[in-house]
Amino acid sequence: MSSAVDTSKPEPDGGATVAGVPRSRIVVASMVGTSIEFYDFYIYATAAVSVFPHLFFPKGNGTTALLASLATFGLAFVARPLGSILFGHFGDRIGRKTTLVGSLLTMGIATFVIGLLPTYHQIGLVAPALLALMRFCQGLGLGGEWSGAALLATETAQKGKRAWAAMWPQLGAPIGFFLANGLFLIITLFLDHDNSSPDLDGAFLTWGWRIPFLLSAIMVMIGLYVRLKLEETPVFARAVARGEKVKTPLAEVFKTSWRQLIIGTFVMLATYTLFYIMTTWVLSYGTGKTPAQGGTGAGFHYTDFLVLQLIAVLFFAAAVPVSGWLADRYGRRVTLLVITGLIMVFGLTFGVMLNQEGMGNARMLVFLAIGMLLMGMTFGPMSAVLPELFPTNVRYTGSGIAYNTASILGAAVAPFIATWLATSYGVGWVGIYLLIAAALTFVALLVMRETRDQSLDDVGA
């Protein structure tokens, strides 16, 4: 730990620097890392719908291959809590900075390797096995990334502006999504790929899909450069100076903060369910064959639908800073209660908004924009809320476990359940599924205490 950190100050004082590091560098480091991490995650999500069913899970009918591909997509969410435990241990023991570098490398290397993997037609069942392994490693990396970036932002924030500072890493989600889907759009257009009738011998499925995975290496190097120039956060440095580190953060967090773990997990549930319905599932539904063609989808051309998603994600990005400001102004709890109530109402509109009869670009864009707007509003304050629930000595571990356990309950199964519901009972039931998840989050928020004025130097249950 650098001696440049002044552990005598009780809180960052609102100046242009924190522990000798320009505040602008902290903003960039917290945001660029999550942008890279979410870029890596989203290129897999996009490929899980448009590439992997053809190249890694080709046997059986189209729906079976899609569900198998989405299952490997969900595998990373199983790994994420394990990643939060692994990286949380080191984050609470040796510091935020070093651990953030490790999480970025773990996910970046796994993503790059996916771009080099042989397909099922080349090596048989070993191909999906290797894909699943790399997907698991992606999950481990992201499991440690988010909580570290959130702590970097919150533990260096100005007084009274923690939610605003914490929204910067949250902006990494729409930025990463925009970069990933934008790149896939450019490649599919350039290589003339039609997802509705894919050419297995065409340039896109032969080599073009690998480009976004391989290009991630450049982004990882940029992220490493920025993060290696950081210092440790003052809040963690003060905890070390007071001798408040614990030997086993995992045991300590379950001993002293088990209630916060449960509340934090369900507070995140609606956010995760909404996001992966609005990104992964809706892509497969929007580009799927219509009932007239023997399917249950909306029949959009793949590139047309990507354009709609890219426009909608701008609403996501715009809503994140708004929600950060609202959470500082009115409090985390009341802000999220209102937003979660609106998500429940949104769930009731699925049957009407996604009715295939007369479905056009305008109605689909309105649906995507509303969903992404609500996503930005609920996602923005989370990197302040979850860290504020936990004491300093287990904050990395606790916030990471809550965040990533919610990923299993709300995201890992969301595309799979939504696909099954839409196929078996209609798209209206996908909205009911979202409503139920939001209702559980609403209850958790009612139980949760307000954390806006909570000191991050507090240690103890």
Side-chain angles (χ1 to χ4, degrees):
M1 188 180 305
S2 172
S3 60
V5 176
D6 182 0
T7 62
S8 65
K9 293 184 179 180
E11 189 91 349
D13 62 3
T17 64
V18 180
V21 177
R23 197 174 291 279
S24 59
R25 184 184 299 169
I26 295 172
V27 167
V28 172
S30 65
M31 185 169 61
V32 72
T34 51
S35 297
I36 294 167
E37 299 288 354
F38 280 99
Y39 167 86
D40 289 353
F41 220 58
Y42 297 154
I43 56 175
Y44 191 102
T46 303
V49 173
S50 61
V51 176
F52 297 148
H54 307 297
L55 300 184
F56 289 86
F57 307 95
K59 289 188 176 181
N61 60 41
T63 300
T64 302
L66 175 61
L67 290 176
S69 181
L70 290 177
T72 63
F73 175 76
L75 180 62
F77 293 98
V78 177
R80 284 170 66 157
L82 298 178
S84 65
I85 293 171
L86 173 65
F87 290 105
H89 175 85
F90 293 108
D92 285 325
R93 286 289 299 159
I94 65 175
R96 312 333 190 184
K97 172 187 171 180
T98 303
T99 307
L100 272 171
V101 171
S103 67
L104 184 63
L105 281 174
T106 301
M107 183 144 180
I109 292 172
T111 304
F112 183 80
V113 171
I114 289 176
L116 300 175
L117 289 179
T119 66
Y120 178 89
H121 299 288
Q122 294 170 319
I123 61 171
L125 291 175
V126 177
L130 289 174
L131 181 65
L133 177 61
M134 291 303 102
R135 181 60 176 162
F136 187 84
C137 292
Q138 277 190 318
L140 283 178
L142 189 54
E145 165 61 29
W146 179 86
S147 48
L151 267 58
L152 176 63
T154 56
E155 292 186 345
T156 57
Q158 296 170 268
K159 185 176 181 181
K161 295 184 179 180
R162 275 207 304 259
W164 177 260
M167 70 87 186
W168 291 108
Q170 304 301 77
L171 273 177
I175 291 172
F177 180 88
F178 191 87
L179 291 174
N181 277 18
L183 186 54
F184 261 106
L185 175 61
I186 292 171
I187 293 171
T188 53
L189 288 174
F190 182 75
L191 298 179
D192 196 25
H193 173 70
D194 184 358
N195 196 58
S196 61
S197 55
D199 179 7
L200 295 180
D201 296 320
F204 178 77
L205 289 179
T206 301
W207 56 268
W209 68 271
R210 300 178 183 273
I211 295 174
F213 291 92
L214 298 177
L215 287 181
S216 67
I218 299 174
M219 301 178 67
V220 169
M221 287 188 285
I222 295 172
L224 286 174
Y225 173 79
V226 176
R227 287 188 169 179
L228 288 171
K229 288 183 171 292
L230 295 175
E231 298 290 345
E232 192 51 78
T233 71
V235 172
F236 182 79
R238 291 193 291 271
V240 173
R242 294 192 298 264
E244 292 168 346
K245 284 198 304 182
V246 292
K247 290 184 178 181
T248 54
L250 178 63
E252 183 71 14
V253 76
F254 278 102
K255 178 182 177 181
T256 64
S257 304
W258 60 268
R259 185 174 182 272
Q260 292 96 312
L261 285 173
I262 296 173
I263 292 173
T265 296
F266 282 96
V267 163
M268 273 297 303
L269 181 64
T271 303
Y272 261 127
T273 305
L274 173 64
F275 189 51
Y276 284 91
I277 284 177
M278 295 306 301
T279 54
T280 304
W281 171 76
V282 81
L283 177 62
S284 64
Y285 172 79
T287 60
K289 294 180 179 179
T290 64
Q293 299 169 326
T296 58
F300 282 85
H301 191 277
Y302 179 72
T303 54
D304 291 341
F305 197 83
L306 279 183
V307 171
L308 295 179
Q309 280 196 309
L310 288 172
I311 296 172
V313 82
L314 298 177
F315 290 84
F316 181 5
V320 169
V322 173
S323 64
W325 180 84
L326 289 172
D328 276 334
R329 177 67 176 83
Y330 299 104
R332 287 59 161 138
R333 192 167 171 268
V334 67
T335 300
L336 289 172
L337 280 169
V338 172
I339 296 166
T340 304
L342 293 174
I343 293 173
M344 294 168 67
V345 174
F346 177 61
L348 295 173
T349 70
F350 275 50
V352 175
M353 295 290 288
L354 295 179
N355 189 324
Q356 292 120 327
E357 187 174 343
M359 170 70 76
N361 287 358
R363 178 145 53 98
M364 179 58 80
L365 179 58
V366 170
F367 173 79
L368 292 173
I370 294 173
M372 286 296 191
L373 182 70
L374 290 171
M375 178 59 203
M377 294 298 291
T378 186
F379 189 59
M382 287 301 174
S383 57
V385 172
L386 295 189
E388 288 170 351
L389 287 174
F390 297 92
T392 305
N393 57 356
V394 294
R395 185 168 294 132
Y396 204 125
T397 302
S399 60
I401 290 176
Y403 181 85
N404 291 297
T405 302
S407 75
I408 295 180
L409 301 178
V413 297
F416 193 93
I417 291 177
T419 299
W420 174 73
L421 286 172
T423 302
S424 303
Y425 303 104
V427 292
W429 281 95
V430 179
I432 298 301
Y433 168 51
L434 174 62
L435 185 151
I436 293 171
L440 292 172
T441 290
F442 197 88
V443 172
L445 289 167
L446 290 174
V447 176
M448 186 188 85
R449 58 180 170 80
E450 177 56 58
T451 60
R452 177 178 57 179
D453 300 320
Q454 178 74 24
S455 170
L456 292 187
D457 280 297
D458 286 351
V459 175

